[in-house]
Amino acid sequence: MITTITIKIIAGFLALMLVIRLIGKKELAEVTPFDFIFIVMLGGILEESLYDDKVRVWDVLYTIGLWTALNLIINLLVRKFEKLRPVIKGEPSILVNNGTLNIEELKKNKMESEQLRSLLRQQGVFSMQKVKYALLEPGGQISMLKKESSEQDTSGVLTHLLIDEGQIEKRALAKIEKDEQWVISLLKEEGYEDIKKIYYAEWSEENGLYVQSYG
């Protein structure tokens, strides 16, 4: 039993090393959902076969080889037929287009405003109004282009999310020691009477209020 398991592990390890060489170098940040499924399935195939006496070493190698061959064939088809790429590998989604939040794409990707803000902060941008374009890549990372400005760059200024999808963010208000009436008054000064028509609103002492309404 132990000998069989040892042989399977060694054979599986060598097979996986060969697979990695075949599929090429790729950073984890560049892995697409399709690549992720492929990797998980490879690990599952090896794991399930280790303790099953009915599964021989050659069965393990054949299964890994077949699964890898299917992956390579699909990658070849994607490279040859560009129309297949969005279907199989996915394509970038434009979340911010020329400084405007793309609400439809945010909902399509099931992404909330705070999630987008978090991804932008990881790139050193703390204010949505400093973003000209933001794309959600198939692997889940954000690619971003900041707005050009002749003024001092204030993209690192900390902002607070006041309105998210028509709702006042009470926790954010508590952090800055403000109340709902302060938000309402601030919005009215900018000409916004109905909070439910506002998709996104952020505020900072340095930059003031930034609002994006529905539509």
Side-chain angles (χ1 to χ4, degrees):
M1 179 69 176
I2 295 177
T3 304
T4 304
I5 293 175
T6 302
I7 294 173
K8 285 181 179 179
I9 289 177
I10 294 173
F13 176 78
L14 293 174
L16 291 177
M17 289 292 291
L18 179 60
V19 168
I20 292 172
R21 297 294 296 177
L22 285 173
I23 63 177
K25 297 178 181 179
K26 182 177 290 188
E27 295 182 9
L28 288 176
E30 297 173 345
V31 173
T32 65
F34 178 82
D35 297 323
F36 179 74
I37 293 172
F38 170 71
I39 294 168
V40 170
M41 282 295 295
L42 273 182
I45 289 169
L46 184 57
E47 180 185 4
E48 290 295 325
S49 65
L50 284 180
Y51 303 103
D52 191 341
D53 294 334
K54 296 179 181 179
V55 179
R56 299 170 299 174
V57 174
W58 294 112
D59 296 329
V60 176
L61 295 178
Y62 171 76
T63 305
I64 292 176
L66 178 60
W67 186 247
T68 303
L70 290 173
N71 180 69
L72 292 173
I73 290 170
I74 290 174
N75 282 327
L76 181 62
L77 290 173
V78 167
R79 287 196 296 268
K80 192 170 183 179
F81 304 101
E82 281 293 325
K83 291 183 179 179
L84 289 177
R85 177 176 292 276
V87 178
I88 297 175
K89 295 284 189 175
E91 60 183 347
S93 298
I94 302 176
L95 303 182
V96 180
N97 188 7
N98 199 23
T100 302
L101 280 169
N102 192 332
I103 299 173
E104 184 178 341
E105 283 297 315
L106 284 167
K107 291 182 176 179
K108 181 180 176 181
N109 288 278
K110 298 178 176 59
M111 178 173 286
E112 298 176 354
S113 299
E114 190 52 55
Q115 290 177 301
L116 177 57
R117 283 166 55 86
S118 176
L119 291 171
L120 292 174
R121 286 196 296 268
Q122 291 174 26
Q123 297 206 29
V125 176
F126 290 75
S127 175
M128 198 78 73
Q129 62 180 311
K130 300 302 176 184
V131 180
K132 186 172 185 179
Y133 292 101
L135 283 76
L136 180 65
E137 303 293 349
Q141 66 272 26
I142 284 285
S143 298
M144 181 201 63
L145 176 65
K146 292 194 293 186
K147 293 178 180 176
E148 295 181 3
S149 176
S150 57
E151 301 174 359
Q152 184 180 359
D153 184 15
T154 56
S155 56
V157 171
L158 181 63
T159 61
H160 303 277
L161 181 62
L162 301 183
I163 308 291
D164 185 14
E165 297 186 27
Q167 300 291 328
I168 294 177
E169 290 291 301
K170 296 181 180 179
R171 288 183 298 178
L173 290 179
K175 289 179 181 179
I176 59 176
E177 299 180 347
K178 304 289 184 181
D179 56 21
E180 294 186 32
Q181 190 56 49
W182 174 81
V183 177
I184 294 171
S185 300
L186 192 64
L187 290 168
K188 284 184 176 179
E189 290 177 6
E190 298 292 330
Y192 297 96
E193 298 289 338
D194 190 353
I195 291 177
K196 293 189 180 300
K197 292 182 179 180
I198 297 174
Y199 178 78
Y200 176 92
E202 67 176 28
W203 175 85
S204 68
E205 292 185 4
E206 294 83 356
N207 298 332
L209 190 65
Y210 172 74
V211 180
Q212 164 122 20
S213 59
Y214 282 98

